Amino acid sequence: MKPEPMQSWQIEKWRESVLQSTLWAALVLASVAYIPGVWAALAMDLSMLVLLDTLAWLGVAVLALGRRLGYMLRAATFVILWAAFALILLWQLGPAGAGILWLSAVPVLAALFFGYPGALIGIASLSLLAVGVFVLLLADVPADFLPASNIGYTAASWGGSAGSLLFISMLISLALSELLRRLEKSLTQLNSRNHELLSIMQERESLQEQILRSQKQSALSTMVAGITHDFNNLLLPIVLASEKARDLTECDNPVRGELDLVLRSAERARELVRRLLNLNQPTKSDYPAVHVTPLIEDVNLILRSSVPATVCIRTELPEHAVWVRADSDELHQIFLNLGTNACLAMPEGGELVWRLFSANADDIVHIEVSDTGYGISQENLMHIFDPFFTTRQPGGGSGLGLSIVNRLISNMQGSIEVESELGRGSSFHLYLPGGSEDVLARESGNEEAGDELDEPGPTRILVVDDEEMVRDTLVAVLSRAGYQVSEASRAEHALALIADPASQFHLLITDLSMPDVNGIELAQRVRALPVAIPIIVTTGYFSDSHRLQLSQLSDSLLLPKPYLREELLGMVRKALALGRD
């Protein structure tokens, strides 16, 4: 939120400070001048003046100490008190006394506290007073109306004094009003500039934070791309060779159990790579409908076996089924991550609560995961979804868990919100698009229909990959499936084979990342040749630009690495069906 420029109440506060300083100064100076003034008044036998001095001093003291009184009341009272005292001095001492000086300060004080309006009112009041006294003196006022001393009260003496009084008061009060007006304007502009500068600095800090977050995400993407490419090329031959070795092993052979363990470990490795890739995958719009309750119950079983008995896990789930549009594995991963974090936040025990709400009018399902742990500070709450951000001790966490959760939910076109307070626990609110059981049944039926595959026939397939181990494994698997397989290590060699009329390939399987020409560029060049064959591009990391380029090529499919043998053969049959269509 941007700060606001200086407002009128701030100006009034500044004026209040000026008034208070003036009152304190008047009180101190009046205290210093009180004794000499009283002494002089007694010497002149002016007992009334002594009383007025005392009352005026007390009045200033009350105004200086009475801060709870309003500004207008205090300022107006002080000016009126000053004017009354000046008039009495003027009447008692005549136009040659101190009264004329006190009276000349009235418009100045009014200008100080009320600006131009105060100056004009003060000058107008003095003008009326001067004219009135002058008229009275011209009218031969009886002697008993004037002070007993009758010191210098004549029309001539008053006219000269009044002229000087008005000139000096007008000059000083108007100049002071203009000075104060310009000063207030300068203060307002300065305050506004300061707030603008503060706003710019806040925006710059926010931009720097976004840039830093983007750089972290970019570094993570680069790291993921490199790791997945190399790891998948190593994992793929392990998976396919292990599957083949298991199929060739007798059921009662102990080696078969060991191979099953290898395949289970390889499957976990595939899932690990897929989780890393989820940080950078674009949003999908074709998620199936998933029943939420079984996933929550499965996660609770996992957590129950690993968390202390002092942690109570409770669910508040509706009796009817609630469906969301999501990937079941990814949703399971999200629940497991949030549940694990909640349990880790309660090392001395507490309560983990899962709440599931039915879809609202906008078909949005609300899922709440709350705990009674130590909570999250407001400062850390702003960064919990940043990659590599963690508050745990070194070795206690990578800082990727909630970043992956946030990314997965965004991919599902959902959102996540967090409420937390130190010492009072945390609540994560997930909002996902709703689905229905009918949608799930229809999608499942479509998938089953798509899996009706023909038996492989005399089909020629060209495999292109710069990794010899991967290429040899693919050739072996496809050959055992009954296909005629040729291979090439470089794109130029593959183009030459495809362009040869004697080859007549029915399918091209190419890796995406190759040193000379990548798989997308190879597919584009093949589409420029006078041949029409389907293409499968395999990769462990697929960027948005690659996905867009592949979508523009007809009869082209994507096969993520690493894949199982049945996944490979199923994709081959699907591609060949496209070629026949």
Side-chain angles (χ1 to χ4, degrees), residues 3-287:
E4 297 180 354
M6 194 172 189
Q7 302 296 315
S8 59
W9 66 268
Q10 294 173 300
I11 295 293
E12 294 297 334
K13 186 176 181 181
W14 177 76
R15 290 177 176 172
E16 175 75 26
S17 177
V18 173
L19 171 63
Q20 187 63 40
S21 299
T22 304
L23 290 174
W24 282 123
L27 181 62
V28 172
L29 295 175
S31 300
V32 173
Y34 177 73
I35 295 178
V38 169
W39 186 278
L42 290 175
M44 298 174 63
D45 196 21
L46 297 175
S47 57
M48 181 61 67
L49 190 57
V50 174
L51 177 62
L52 291 175
D53 274 346
T54 303
L55 293 176
W57 185 89
L58 291 175
V60 173
V62 170
L63 293 176
L65 297 174
R67 292 193 173 188
R68 294 188 177 181
L69 300 175
Y71 171 81
M72 297 295 293
L73 177 61
R74 297 173 71 201
T77 303
F78 181 67
V79 173
I80 293 172
L81 186 62
W82 188 286
F85 187 73
L87 288 173
I88 293 173
L89 284 178
L90 182 65
W91 187 254
Q92 291 290 324
L93 302 179
I100 196 73
L101 297 177
W102 281 74
L103 201 58
S104 65
V106 172
V108 177
L109 292 174
L112 178 64
F113 300 139
F114 304 107
Y116 270 114
L120 295 177
I121 292 175
I123 293 171
S125 300
L126 285 185
S127 300
L128 291 175
L129 175 66
V131 172
V133 173
F134 189 72
V135 170
L136 288 175
L137 292 174
L138 287 178
D140 294 328
V141 179
D144 57 356
F145 182 78
L146 296 174
S149 57
N150 192 17
I151 46 178
Y153 269 105
T154 64
S157 64
W158 175 249
S161 300
S164 300
L165 170 67
L166 291 175
F167 175 77
I168 294 174
S169 298
M170 184 179 299
L171 179 63
I172 297 178
S173 61
L174 292 179
L176 181 61
S177 298
E178 178 63 17
L179 176 63
L180 293 176
R181 186 188 70 83
R182 290 181 179 272
L183 180 60
E184 291 179 356
K185 182 178 180 181
S186 298
L187 287 174
T188 303
Q189 292 176 346
L190 179 61
N191 185 270
S192 178
R193 296 289 175 84
N194 288 338
H195 282 78
E196 289 177 3
L197 180 60
L198 178 61
S199 177
I200 292 174
M201 292 177 63
Q202 291 175 343
E203 291 177 358
R204 177 174 294 182
E205 290 177 359
S206 177
L207 181 59
Q208 288 177 342
E209 184 177 344
Q210 293 177 9
I211 292 175
L212 181 59
R213 188 175 303 172
S214 177
Q215 289 174 341
K216 288 182 179 180
Q217 191 69 34
S218 177
L220 181 61
S221 301
T222 303
M223 180 190 72
V224 167
I227 291 177
T228 54
H229 177 265
D230 295 336
F231 189 75
N232 284 328
N233 283 337
L234 294 173
L235 189 60
L236 181 60
I238 296 175
V239 172
L240 296 181
S242 299
E243 283 187 320
K244 181 58 180 178
R246 185 189 59 180
D247 293 345
L248 297 176
T249 304
E250 299 293 336
C251 294
D252 57 350
N253 193 325
V255 176
R256 188 179 180 91
E258 300 297 328
L259 291 173
D260 287 337
L261 179 60
V262 171
L263 287 172
R264 285 198 299 270
S265 299
E267 181 63 27
R268 291 181 180 178
R270 288 180 59 196
E271 181 63 22
L272 175 61
V273 173
R274 194 160 70 89
R275 290 180 183 180
L276 288 174
L277 287 174
N278 282 330
L279 289 172
N280 305 290
Q281 292 301 317
T283 302
K284 297 188 294 185
S285 58
D286 55 348
Y287 281 104

